Amino acid sequence: MPDHSILRKLQSFDCFQKLSPLELATIASHTELMHVNHGRTLFKEGTAIDAVYLILYGSFKIQQKTRSEEAVVFYFLSRGDFLGIAMAGLSNALYPASALANEESAVLKLPLRFYNDRFLQHPSLREIVSRQISDRFFEFQNDRCMTKALTPQKLADLLLRTLDRQPKEHGHRIHIPLTRHDMARKIGSQAETVIRFISEWTKNGWIRTENKHIEIINRAKLEEVLNEKCSRRSSRTTSIYSAATRRS
């Protein structure tokens, strides 16, 4: 018998709306609710993939160790995002990166065998998983294209992309808590440099900060920073995100 509280939680996601009551009950019966405290690791890179997770609330940062002491942050993921999906279809696969709770969070855990054998048999679920994998590849490719951009361009790009990934009902406030240190690790900069630009943009009235949350007040100004040709070297650097935005 499925846990009815988990059944209701699954029903709150759009991606499960096309499933029949029986199909939804089957998934609920194989799903476990897990609470993850802020700063705790859900899974570590290099360990065997044994489950896939769906974020119920809160957020996670996906990071990977480097030769230095600092880890590289690849993504910030929140409600509705799946964790551990990139390599889940391979035999004896390992998690390529670690998932750390960015705040108090909860996930729905799907055993790997059930995920591969039953969960992905539903076209609507397979479609959302494929789209999320594609979106993360797109973001990784965008970050590679921004490698030679200046720090303010990278920072503006990060804030705008993070804002645009979340549901419109959140308005202009980024609901994922972002520390200056994590933003620096995401864009490959120094925390002090990120602090300086965040402070400057706040004084200019372009953004508003509250604890670890950032609200975009003047989007146009951040887009100007993103597209500014500050030097001959950076003038050739255009994020995939900004190019796609101009085409749309």
Side-chain angles (χ1 to χ4, degrees):
M1 291 292 292
D3 183 325
H4 289 286
S5 65
I6 290 181
L7 189 61
R8 289 192 295 272
K9 290 176 175 59
L10 291 173
Q11 290 172 329
S12 70
F13 292 97
D14 291 341
C15 61
F16 293 101
Q17 297 302 313
K18 295 182 180 180
L19 272 62
S20 70
L22 178 59
E23 290 171 329
L24 202 57
T26 300
I27 292 175
S29 67
H30 288 83
T31 301
E32 176 187 353
L33 173 64
M34 294 178 58
H35 294 277
V36 188
N37 293 333
H38 178 209
R40 297 300 297 270
T41 301
L42 179 61
F43 55 76
K44 292 184 178 180
E45 64 175 287
T47 59
I49 298 177
D50 61 353
V52 165
Y53 305 86
L54 174 63
I55 301 177
L56 181 61
Y57 66 77
S59 60
F60 288 79
K61 54 187 174 186
I62 309 303
Q63 63 181 42
Q64 190 176 68
K65 294 179 181 178
T66 63
R67 293 182 179 179
S68 64
E69 294 183 359
E70 287 287 300
V72 174
V73 175
F74 291 120
Y75 312 107
F76 297 101
L77 302 177
S78 59
R79 174 177 166 79
D81 287 324
F82 285 90
L83 303 172
I85 54 177
M87 309 291 287
L90 303 179
S91 300
N92 303 315
L94 307 178
Y95 290 113
S98 300
L100 280 73
N102 205 39
E103 56 189 310
E104 295 298 313
S105 304
V107 297
L108 297 174
K109 179 181 178 180
L110 293 162
L112 182 62
R113 174 170 290 185
F114 175 79
Y115 169 79
N116 282 324
D117 295 346
R118 304 282 297 278
F119 187 87
L120 291 181
Q121 297 306 309
H122 301 286
S124 60
L125 300 180
R126 186 169 62 249
E127 179 183 356
I128 188 66
V129 168
S130 297
R131 184 162 67 245
Q132 289 192 15
I133 292 175
S134 297
D135 287 344
R136 291 171 206 177
F137 175 77
F138 181 90
E139 182 167 352
F140 178 77
Q141 191 173 6
N142 183 88
D143 289 344
R144 293 288 296 172
C145 289
M146 291 292 290
T147 300
K148 294 183 179 180
L150 302 180
T151 296
Q153 293 174 306
K154 293 179 181 179
L155 184 57
D157 182 58
L158 170 62
L159 295 180
L160 292 173
R161 282 191 289 125
T162 305
L163 177 67
D164 289 344
R165 283 190 69 250
Q166 67 185 31
K168 299 300 182 183
E169 56 263 29
H170 288 283
H172 301 291
R173 184 176 184 266
I174 296 175
H175 71 279
I176 296 178
L178 300 172
T179 68
R180 312 304 190 257
H181 184 70
D182 283 341
M183 286 190 285
R185 291 195 297 157
K186 178 69 169 71
I187 66 175
S189 182
Q190 299 295 317
E192 294 78 8
T193 306
V194 170
I195 290 171
R196 178 162 57 86
F197 283 110
I198 291 294
S199 177
E200 178 183 323
W201 296 351
T202 301
K203 291 178 181 178
N204 290 342
W206 300 355
I207 63 175
R208 180 183 296 121
T209 59
E210 180 184 357
N211 296 325
K212 298 176 184 178
H213 293 276
I214 297 174
E215 182 179 1
I216 309 299
I217 305 299
N218 193 330
R219 182 188 180 104
K221 287 297 184 182
L222 292 187
E223 290 177 341
E224 285 181 19
V225 171
L226 174 59
N227 297 313
E228 184 179 4
K229 296 177 175 59
C230 298
S231 67
R232 180 176 299 179
R233 181 181 181 185
S234 64
S235 66
R236 297 180 181 178
T237 305
T238 303
S239 76
I240 298 176
Y241 169 79
S242 61
T245 301
R246 288 197 297 271
R247 288 196 300 269
S248 62

